[in-house]
């Protein structure tokens, strides 16, 4: 097989969860372009229908349905429908569906915590569990999870999201450990800060048109000084779904424009009043010496 042929997905059945917009839709489009038949879901009927139309307009063989990844019975019905439509079991699963709630931990209700954990961590477990038997029988399969900077780092207000994405990193390693013997590879994509509806509030300008301080912060943390674009992630999705990555297993591959490599900081975001107090304390120490 030529090296370029190893990236082809011709005839494969790929399921991308939460692909009505955002990263999921970009992954699904990329997999379709590489030759896969696409199944996808979302929670809103009108958005599923719109996305289905977009796939079909490009001539892609696609199946979309309403299905919440936290509902095991609905996921089982979805998988059966995909198998009936395409006449085979699922070869590739991208566990993309996810939400975030930006709430200080001390103000977060258990219901809000549970909703994030259920969608971002339990959802991938439910979906992977639904496709693994078919992959084991076929002795071949690719599962790709949507990790995050928050699989490695914490930040204010995202405790449930960070706990879920950290857990998803370990679920990735565990699926690799448990099912690698069946030629199943489970890896994760760890996007940095990518411009999608999920991150739109972090870039929104204020009423006077001033740049969002978080936008400035992310640019200062990213050597490329820009947000990621959905197209920045398509190549890795195809690679991890394809035979070209057959001996890569249990890895999280970060696409973050260098954030995790860089000790960046925007001096403009620092609260200088704190330093004045520190300097005073330091002066006192010097006097004591
Ligand atoms: P997004 O713009 O909010 O899109 C999320 C997609 O998931 C939508 O299609 C949404 O449709 C669907 N979805 C949400 N909950 C669902 C559920 N319970 N069942 C089925 N579908 C569901 O998010 P995104 O920015 O594209 O992010 C995609 C994934 O990458 C997420 O897991 C996210 O955490 C992760 N990620 C994103 C970034 C980033 O910077 N954007 C960075 C790192 C990781 P409905 O709401 O209509 O169901
Ligand atoms: C946030 C963001 C992030 C990103 C992404 C980073 O509020 O900090 O939404 O969590 O979406 O997951 O990799």
């Amino acid at each position: 097989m030529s090296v370029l042929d190893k990236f082809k997905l011709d005839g494969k059945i790929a399921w991308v969860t939460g692909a009505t917009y955002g990263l999921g839709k970009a992954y699904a489009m990329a997999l379709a372009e590489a030759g896969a038949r696409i199944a996808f879901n979302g929670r809103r009927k009108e958005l599923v229908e719109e996305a289905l139309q977009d796939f079909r307009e490009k001539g892609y063989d696609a199946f979309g349905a309403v299905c919440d990844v936290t509902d095991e019975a609905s996921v089982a019905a979805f998988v059966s429908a995909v198998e009936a439509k395409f006449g085979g079991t699922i070869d590739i699963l991208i566990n993309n569906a996810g939400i975030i709630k930006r709430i200080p931990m001390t103000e977060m209700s258990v219901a809000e915590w549970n909703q994030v954990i259920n969608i971002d961590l339990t959802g991938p477990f439910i979906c992977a569990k639904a496709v693994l038997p078919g992959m084991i029988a076929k002795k071949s399969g690719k599962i790709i999870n949507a990790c995050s900077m928050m699989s490695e780092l914490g930040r204010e207000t995202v405790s449930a999201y960070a706990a879920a994405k950290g857990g998803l990193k370990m679920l990735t390693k565990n699926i690799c450990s448990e099912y690698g013997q069946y030629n199943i590879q489970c890896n994760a994509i760890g996007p940095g800060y990518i411009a999608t509806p999920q991150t739109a509030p972090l870039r929104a300008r204020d009423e006077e048109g001033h740049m969002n301080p978080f936008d400035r912060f992310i640019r200062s943390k990213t050597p490329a000084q820009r947000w990621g674009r959905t197209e920045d992630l398509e190549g890795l999705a195809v690679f991890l779904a394809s035979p070209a990555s057959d001996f890569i297993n249990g890895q999280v591959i970060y696409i973050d424009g260098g954030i995790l490599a860089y000790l960046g900081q925007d001096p403009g975001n620092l609260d200088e009043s704190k330093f004045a107090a520190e300097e005073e304390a330091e002066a006192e120490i010097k006097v004591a010496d």
Side-chain angles (χ1 to χ4, degrees):
M1 195 189 278
S2 88
V3 70
L4 289 180
D5 284 344
K6 289 183 184 168
F7 291 83
K8 289 185 179 163
L9 303 178
D10 293 327
K12 299 287 182 191
I13 302 171
W15 172 21
V16 184
T17 70
T20 48
Y21 54 89
L23 282 168
K25 191 171 181 192
Y27 295 145
M29 286 284 182
L31 266 48
E33 198 180 328
R37 293 172 283 171
I38 298 299
F40 72 95
N41 64 298
R43 291 171 299 180
R44 283 172 278 182
K45 192 166 188 289
E46 67 282 10
L47 297 184
V48 169
E49 280 166 5
E50 269 175 36
L52 200 49
Q53 186 68 18
D54 293 341
F55 286 109
R56 289 188 176 152
E57 271 171 19
K58 285 190 177 282
Y60 297 143
D61 196 1
F63 170 85
V66 172
C67 168
D68 188 319
V69 295
T70 64
D71 179 343
E72 194 166 16
S74 174
V75 165
F78 178 87
V79 169
S80 298
V82 173
E83 290 176 356
K85 152 89 182 162
F86 292 127
T89 56
I90 290 167
D91 299 289
I92 299 157
L93 164 66
I94 303 192
N95 268 319
N96 167 77
I99 61 161
I100 190 165
K101 286 188 185 291
R102 302 183 184 97
I103 305 171
M105 187 172 143
T106 51
E107 292 163 28
M108 185 174 238
S109 69
V110 171
E112 288 164 333
W113 166 275
N114 283 341
Q115 196 192 356
V116 176
I117 300 290
N118 281 340
I119 296 177
D120 293 5
L121 181 56
T122 310
F125 160 75
I126 289 173
C127 297
K129 192 181 152 196
V131 299
L132 275 165
M135 292 179 174
I136 291 168
K138 227 187 243 180
K139 291 208 168 30
S140 164
K142 300 277 186 183
I143 297 177
I144 301 163
N145 292 327
C147 280
S148 157
M149 295 287 88
M150 272 69 217
S151 300
E152 301 295 337
L153 304 169
R155 92 168 183 85
E156 301 78 2
T157 75
V158 299
S159 56
Y161 185 81
K165 295 297 186 182
L168 190 55
K169 176 175 73 172
M170 287 314 301
L171 181 63
T172 303
K173 291 175 192 276
N174 216 81
I175 294 172
C176 149
S177 307
E178 206 164 343
Y179 298 106
Q181 62 184 306
Y182 301 104
N183 187 31
I184 292 167
Q185 291 84 46
C186 181
N187 293 292
I189 298 177
Y193 280 79
I194 316 299
T196 68
Q198 187 192 83
T199 54
L202 304 175
R203 290 182 305 282
R205 287 180 179 258
D206 68 16
E207 282 164 8
E208 283 152 16
H210 298 125
M211 191 176 180
N212 192 317
F214 197 85
D215 186 352
R216 192 187 305 276
F217 171 65
I218 287 304
R219 287 171 192 274
S220 77
K221 290 285 289 178
T222 311
Q225 293 186 4
R226 68 166 174 88
W227 286 67
R229 305 176 189 115
T230 54
E231 57 265 35
D232 289 322
L233 284 81
E234 293 167 355
L236 181 58
V238 170
F239 172 58
L240 291 179
S242 74
S245 61
D246 275 356
F247 204 55
I248 297 178
N249 212 348
Q251 301 299 310
V252 183
I253 301 180
Y254 291 97
I255 301 204
D256 65 354
I259 293 179
L260 286 175
Y262 177 43
L263 192 69
Q265 178 56 276
D266 181 353
N269 280 343
L270 300 180
D271 176 359
E272 290 181 26
S273 63
K274 283 186 191 161
F275 305 140
E278 275 171 26
E279 277 158 26
E280 271 171 34
E282 221 171 285
E284 276 172 31
I285 292 167
K286 278 177 196 147
V287 171
D289 280 345

